[in-house]
Amino acid sequence: MVDYGKELNPEQLQVVMATGGPILVIAGAGSGKTRTITYRVARLIESGVRPENVLLATFTNKAAREMLGRVEMLTGIDISRLWGGTFHHIANLILRRAGYLLGYNSNYSIIDSEDSRQLINTCISELGIDSGSEKFPKGNVIGDIISLSINTGDSIDKVVTKRNPYFYNRIDKIEGVASRYQTRKKELNVMDFDDLLINLRRLLVGFPDVLKEYSGRLRHVLVDEYQDTNLIQAEILDLLASHHRNLMVVGDDSQSIYSFRGANFANIIKFSDKYPDAKIFRLETNYRSTPEILNLANMSIVNNERQFKKSLKAVRSGGIRPVLAPAENVIQQANFVAQRVLELISEDISLGEIAVLYRAHYHSMELQMELTRRGIPFEIRSGIRFFEQAHIKDVTSFMRIMVNPFDELAWKRLLMLYRNVGKVTAERIWKFISAQADPLSAVLSDDFLKCVSKKVGAGLEKFRKLIKNLVDSTDSKTPAEIIETVLGSGYHEYLQERYTDIESREEDLNQLGNFSRKFNSLENFLSELALLTNMDEDEDRADRDKDKIILSTIHQAKGLEWSAVFMIWCSDGMIPLARSLKEPEGEEEERRLFYVAATRAKDQLYFCYPLIDYKRGMGNTVLSPSRFIEELTPSSPTAANRLYDQWIVNYSSNFYE
């Protein structure tokens, strides 16, 4: 038998030994929630509950495997029959057995996002929509609209209005494609990942015998990261636990940060409204961070109105106070982080124990360049390296052909941005223009459109106008102005049609334009980018097996921890992100992001922000520290002059001199 009193702290022990019925566990950051769930499952099995009568729902199969492996080691009992895994895994188990009631054969296929995109594009063609000649979203964009509609419970009309308003004049056709997509999946006997969830709900709601079978079998239902569930997932849990009512949900409302993916914050906040007899437990003992870091996190999150009040308490003794490091500009911000990283290394902190977190991917651009210059290896967790992103390479390709008109790769990349231009057409055009003395002038000649069909000509006419605009003023155009010209000449619409995250991609390009102003010519700018990319590749090969600093968005960092954490761009408008404040309850979710980032740090925490930023059309702009930092300071003007003295070390500006 497991000695639970010895293995668990009093808060965890209460949860593990609790009797049945609905249970809500508010598990603060670093409080051992995984350990608590693991021991709860072990105790249920030790008390006589058979493994096949227990369901453990998680958001990753890895988490389920780790927890169940630990349970098996604790109890010495074969638990292979326990229902453990992701919501999609559990849905698939049930649908394989009973999906025939919904008209599916048991051998249905599960399609991934790429298969889904291709099938949606097929539906567009089958409906006779000429996506090549009219502004119409691509398959991946429509797929995102359909998925968000399913996971939030909103109509297609409402999702388009909120997320893609520039396509609202095509709403009837988008709804037609969505309807056709559902029909075609049924005909092909396939389901996408959203279908697994919505079909399981349909099965449990529409067939009482199926609900009776599974809710009767599952005596205990446990779920991890409950704050990340959407409406469908929460309803599925309610249905599966409806017979025995032994539903234990574990999560942290202060770490609910995925509303953009359809996660419903109300699920955890209103759990006790749905289950008035629910027992509520709090795990507030933190094993990760120093008291100084936890005090800061507690002071921040208390400003949210909608939350379960809690205060994390540190097991560890005192440490270093968090650091505020204002920098003159974004270049000095990157310089500070890189320099401090080198100092940490000299203090025997490994690179793998250092992370830099930020709200948006483009915030890391200057830091990526500075770390590369200094030979400090890093790993990007927020996406691919900034300068390797498709939209960045698209725009820099326009610069490349201005500098080198015989850059074949850049030409072909650009040509294929236009409607109906594929590899064959791009090759034909390249052969024509490369045979001329000046490819740029050849594009503007009357013979240019003669080498392609009329179907292609309409799109390429826009390309010619853009090239003419660039050629006429190349000598005076800076990289930033070229970016602005490209965005204003059709590339903005290209982004709308092909990507679901258009705002963040445009922010990337704006930031690239701001950064490019430090270079006095296109040649210097492009050379610097090329050299940095090559250095990245060389370093990746040479240091493949070495520790690397982690660069990550806050969203990607959730659930992880490091000895030292740097938060960069802690400026108002960056964290919180300005566009997020337009969303209902957006500020509170942004504050939860700030809280999540702070609680990733075990020993050292740094808040960095530039005092001055350059924005096109506005010149130099004075930035304020994030409101989440400002709200931690005394309110009186006199006290405000002694910024953060009570809780944070303020780096002297002498550091930068």
Side-chain angles (χ1 to χ4, degrees):
M1 299 288 290
V2 179
D3 186 346
Y4 295 99
K6 180 181 178 181
E7 296 291 329
L8 304 167
N9 70 32
E11 295 170 345
Q12 297 167 341
L13 184 63
Q14 274 191 312
V15 175
V16 169
M17 305 306 291
T19 55
I23 296 173
L24 170 62
V25 181
I26 302 300
S31 63
K33 71 175 178 62
T34 299
R35 184 179 186 83
T36 304
I37 297 171
T38 298
Y39 277 81
R40 172 75 177 178
V41 174
R43 194 195 71 78
L44 290 173
I45 293 174
E46 277 194 349
S47 65
V49 179
R50 298 168 64 179
E52 60 266 34
N53 298 138
V54 178
L55 182 150
L56 173 59
T58 63
F59 275 85
T60 67
N61 286 312
K62 180 182 177 183
R65 286 194 303 270
E66 289 177 351
M67 281 191 268
L68 297 181
R70 179 64 175 158
V71 170
E72 195 162 57
M73 188 165 63
L74 286 171
T75 63
I77 298 173
D78 177 15
I79 61 166
S80 58
R81 290 166 295 149
L82 188 147
W83 289 57
T86 64
F87 286 90
H88 298 94
H89 171 73
I90 293 161
N92 183 50
L93 290 177
I94 298 175
L95 289 168
R96 290 293 180 190
R97 296 178 174 90
Y100 69 91
L101 294 170
L102 300 176
Y104 289 91
N105 295 327
S106 60
N107 65 338
Y108 64 81
S109 299
I110 301 173
I111 59 175
D112 60 18
S113 57
E114 178 60 23
D115 294 329
S116 173
R117 182 188 66 79
Q118 292 180 4
L119 182 55
I120 291 172
N121 283 334
T122 298
C123 293
I124 292 172
S125 298
E126 290 175 347
L127 291 173
I129 298 171
D130 186 1
S131 60
S133 61
E134 62 175 296
K135 182 181 177 181
F136 197 76
K138 297 298 181 183
N140 62 312
V141 176
I142 293 184
D144 186 69
I145 292 170
I146 294 171
S147 180
L148 202 57
S149 171
I150 290 171
N151 286 293
T152 61
D154 290 337
S155 65
I156 295 287
D157 184 292
K158 188 172 182 179
V159 171
V160 171
T161 300
K162 183 177 180 181
R163 302 291 182 111
N164 311 83
Y166 34 83
F167 287 131
Y168 195 77
N169 62 336
R170 300 282 188 269
I171 187 64
D172 291 342
K173 291 184 178 180
I174 292 173
E175 289 176 334
V177 172
S179 176
R180 178 65 177 165
Y181 176 57
Q182 301 304 331
T183 301
R184 293 290 282 127
K185 285 186 292 182
K186 196 71 172 289
E187 292 173 352
L188 296 171
N189 195 40
V190 302
M191 295 188 203
D192 60 26
F193 285 102
D194 290 329
D195 290 327
L196 291 172
L197 297 183
I198 203 155
N199 283 332
L200 175 57
R201 183 178 66 177
R202 287 177 57 206
L203 194 62
L204 297 174
V205 171
F207 297 88
D209 289 345
V210 175
L211 175 61
K212 182 179 179 181
E213 175 188 352
Y214 286 99
S215 65
R217 175 187 302 183
L218 298 172
R219 289 181 55 192
H220 287 271
V221 176
L222 303 91
V223 60
D224 189 19
E225 304 286 9
Y226 187 67
Q227 78 280 349
D228 294 337
T229 55
N230 60 32
L231 288 169
I232 300 174
Q233 291 163 334
E235 188 174 349
I236 287 171
L237 291 168
D238 294 336
L239 289 164
L240 291 175
S242 60
H243 182 76
H244 297 286
R245 296 187 78 252
N246 295 325
L247 172 62
M248 186 178 97
V249 301
V250 183
D252 184 3
D253 57 296
S254 296
Q255 297 187 67
S256 179
I257 58 175
Y258 293 119
S259 63
F260 70 96
R261 292 199 312 216
N264 187 9
F265 181 65
N267 288 346
I268 191 167
I269 285 292
K270 296 185 176 180
F271 184 82
S272 56
D273 294 343
K274 187 163 46 176
Y275 295 97
D277 58 333
K279 294 182 283 290
I280 301 177
F281 299 94
R282 286 174 171 81
L283 303 181
E284 298 177 303
T285 303
N286 178 281
Y287 292 89
R288 176 187 299 153
S289 305
T290 63
E292 289 78 7
I293 292 172
L294 289 186
N295 289 341
L296 182 151
N298 288 331
M299 289 170 64
S300 173
I301 201 63
V302 76
N303 290 284
N304 272 7
E305 293 183 7
R306 295 189 72 201
Q307 63 169 307
F308 290 98
K309 298 294 183 181
K310 57 184 172 297
S311 181
L312 295 181
K313 301 178 292 291
V315 170
R316 299 177 56 192
S317 57
I320 301 171
R321 283 193 295 170
V323 171
L324 181 71
E328 181 180 335
N329 53 43
V330 70
I331 302 300
Q332 286 196 346
Q333 175 181 249
N335 180 49
F336 165 74
V337 174
Q339 182 61 37
R340 184 64 188 130
V341 164
L342 293 176
E343 293 169 2
L344 292 174
I345 295 169
S346 69
E347 297 168 10
D348 293 328
I349 296 177
S350 67
L351 286 170
E353 277 293 319
I354 303 171
V356 182
L357 306 183
Y358 35 84
R359 178 61 180 85
H361 185 40
Y362 71 88
H363 291 169
S364 68
M365 180 181 64
E366 291 84 3
L367 181 60
Q368 288 186 43
M369 299 188 75
E370 185 63 26
L371 293 175
T372 301
R373 285 195 187 97
R374 292 183 182 235
I376 301 173
F378 61 92
E379 178 183 338
I380 300 288
R381 292 275 178 86
S382 54
I384 61 176
R385 295 189 180 226
F386 185 87
F387 299 106
E388 296 171 3
Q389 296 176 102
H391 52 296
I392 300 296
K393 294 181 73 172
D394 289 344
V395 173
T396 54
S397 289
F398 280 103
M399 301 179 193
R400 285 167 57 183
I401 64 171
M402 293 297 108
V403 172
N404 174 17
F406 289 92
D407 188 332
E408 178 180 352
L409 296 177
W411 274 107
K412 288 182 177 178
R413 182 181 190 93
L414 295 178
L415 289 166
M416 291 174 64
L417 296 178
Y418 293 84
R419 296 187 188 280
N420 301 313
V421 178
K423 292 181 179 179
V424 174
T425 302
E427 179 64 32
R428 186 184 308 129
I429 295 172
W430 167 247
K431 285 184 178 179
F432 167 74
I433 62 176
S434 63
Q436 314 302 314
D438 183 355
L440 290 168
S441 297
V443 170
L444 304 178
S445 70
D446 294 336
D447 293 333
F448 174 69
L449 295 180
K450 295 179 181 178
C451 69
V452 296
S453 65
K454 291 184 178 179
K455 185 178 181 181
V456 177
L460 289 182
E461 187 58 45
K462 294 181 180 179
F463 179 60
R464 295 180 74 199
K465 290 179 180 178
L466 174 54
I467 294 299
K468 185 176 189 307
N469 193 349
L470 293 174
V471 168
D472 287 348
S473 54
T474 297
D475 291 341
S476 61
K477 277 195 181 294
T478 64
E481 290 168 332
I482 288 181
I483 292 171
E484 191 168 355
T485 300
V486 171
L487 280 173
S489 301
Y491 192 72
H492 173 81
E493 288 74 19
Y494 173 87
L495 291 175
Q496 288 180 340
E497 293 173 24
R498 286 164 175 77
Y499 299 112
T500 60
D501 54 348
I502 174 176
E503 286 184 329
S504 64
R505 289 177 186 265
E506 288 193 334
E507 285 174 349
D508 287 348
L509 293 170
N510 289 333
Q511 193 66 19
L512 179 70
N514 292 340
F515 174 74
S516 69
R517 291 183 180 274
K518 63 179 287 189
F519 298 91
N520 56 15
S521 71
L522 280 179
E523 290 87 344
N524 290 342
F525 179 58
L526 293 174
S527 295
E528 184 75 3
L529 297 192
L531 289 172
L532 285 169
T533 302
N534 288 336
M535 287 168 65
D536 287 347
E537 293 170 354
D538 292 341
E539 188 170 304
D540 282 344
R541 286 192 293 269
D543 295 293
R544 190 170 292 131
D545 298 324
K546 292 184 179 180
D547 282 340
K548 297 181 180 181
I549 297 172
I550 300 302
L551 273 56
S552 173
T553 60
I554 302 171
H555 284 102
Q556 294 286 343
K558 184 172 172 289
L560 304 175
E561 60 182 42
W562 294 272
S563 177
V565 169
F566 294 83
M567 281 182 64
I568 59 174
W569 276 104
C570 290
S571 309
D572 219 49
M574 299 301 182
I575 175 71
L577 205 58
R579 70 168 183 265
S580 297
L581 298 177
K582 300 174 184 177
E583 300 291 328
E585 302 180 8
E587 181 172 317
E588 292 215 344
E589 179 156 333
E590 290 289 301
R591 188 177 286 106
R592 293 195 292 270
L593 273 164
F594 183 82
Y595 174 86
V596 166
T599 53
R600 298 312 94 198
K602 294 188 288 186
D603 305 307
Q604 300 187 42
L605 178 60
Y606 300 84
F607 297 101
C608 313
Y609 74 97
L611 296 168
I612 301 293
D613 186 27
Y614 183 86
K615 293 183 179 179
R616 288 204 316 273
M618 298 175 63
N620 287 335
T621 303
V622 178
L623 301 179
S624 300
S626 167
R627 66 188 64 184
F628 303 144
I629 292 176
E630 293 275 28
E631 67 192 10
L632 300 175
T633 68
S635 57
S636 69
T638 306
N641 290 331
R642 302 191 297 273
L643 283 178
Y644 324 110
D645 187 52
Q646 296 178 9
W647 62 275
I648 200 165
V649 175
N650 192 350
Y651 253 61
S652 168
S653 59
N654 292 333
F655 174 85
Y656 304 103
E657 294 176 356

